Amino acid sequence: MNDKKYRAAAKRHLETCEYMLDYLDQISYADSYSKENILVDIYYLSGYVIECIVSYAIGELELSQSKITETRKIHNFQNNDMYFLCRNKPELEMPIESLIKNSGVQDLYKYWNPKIRYDNMNNLRERDIKKIVELSKSIYQVINKEIR
């Protein structure tokens, strides 16, 4: 996938998360699909907002700085890609670090991974999911503004 498609995917995932949150109380839940399942789905997608916007940014950096040759692990934005991005674009480090630190959902950020879709996560609270979506939106905005 080219870098612009990652940015478009991040935007689409963010809009989906926001839409689902806006209509969360109006959704009619089937017997087998509860509000908790939708909260897990929103959490899952919010991580992909960050994953996609970081992938977009790194791809753009690689295009503009041919000296970057390190390989990255896919789906590990917390420990690898985010560090890689901030190291190569230092002006992003403080704003993103501050956003994460002040989000109130550092653990949700820290432990997100693509495998969560298989986990039983009935203990997610709606207010925390709203915060993780807000965090993903803020990270999206910071990176999207800085990387063009």
Side-chain angles (χ1 to χ4, degrees):
M1 183 170 6
N2 77 32
D3 303 327
K4 304 289 188 225
K5 289 184 179 180
Y6 280 116
R7 184 172 63 179
K11 184 176 189 243
R12 185 177 65 247
H13 295 325
L14 179 58
E15 289 170 349
T16 300
C17 288
E18 291 176 328
Y19 181 85
M20 288 171 39
L21 280 175
D22 285 346
Y23 291 96
L24 194 60
D25 292 327
Q26 299 173 24
I27 296 171
S28 296
Y29 302 102
D31 292 336
S32 63
Y33 211 77
S34 66
K35 184 175 185 177
E36 289 77 24
N37 288 334
I38 292 176
L39 291 173
V40 171
D41 289 345
I42 295 169
Y43 175 45
Y44 175 69
L45 277 178
S46 69
Y48 275 114
V49 171
I50 300 169
E51 178 71 29
C52 288
I53 198 65
V54 169
S55 294
Y56 157 74
I58 290 173
E60 290 295 303
L61 283 174
E62 287 176 340
L63 285 175
S64 67
Q65 301 175 10
S66 58
K67 63 181 179 176
I68 297 176
T69 59
E70 293 179 38
T71 57
R72 298 173 321 274
K73 292 182 181 178
I74 296 173
H75 305 303
N76 198 357
F77 63 81
Q78 300 94 335
N79 299 316
N80 292 322
D81 285 353
M82 192 65 82
Y83 171 77
F84 179 86
L85 175 61
C86 291
R87 192 180 75 226
N88 286 282
K89 196 77 169 160
E91 57 271 27
L92 289 173
E93 185 173 11
M94 288 303 292
I96 289 174
E97 191 176 292
S98 177
L99 287 169
I100 295 165
K101 182 180 178 185
N102 296 319
S103 69
V105 287
Q106 297 92 327
D107 286 345
L108 286 179
Y109 172 84
K110 182 178 177 183
Y111 295 113
W112 183 92
N113 71 66
K115 294 178 184 176
I116 62 161
R117 66 183 178 262
Y118 304 116
D119 294 340
N120 184 5
M121 301 185 72
N122 292 356
N123 59 344
L124 293 175
R125 296 184 302 218
E126 185 176 338
R127 72 173 184 217
D128 292 338
I129 297 305
K130 287 179 178 179
K131 288 179 185 178
I132 197 76
V133 170
E134 193 57 41
L135 173 62
S136 67
K137 180 179 184 176
S138 297
I139 290 172
Y140 171 89
Q141 291 171 332
V142 166
I143 292 173
N144 194 45
K145 179 182 173 191
E146 189 62 41
I147 307 289
R148 289 270 169 188

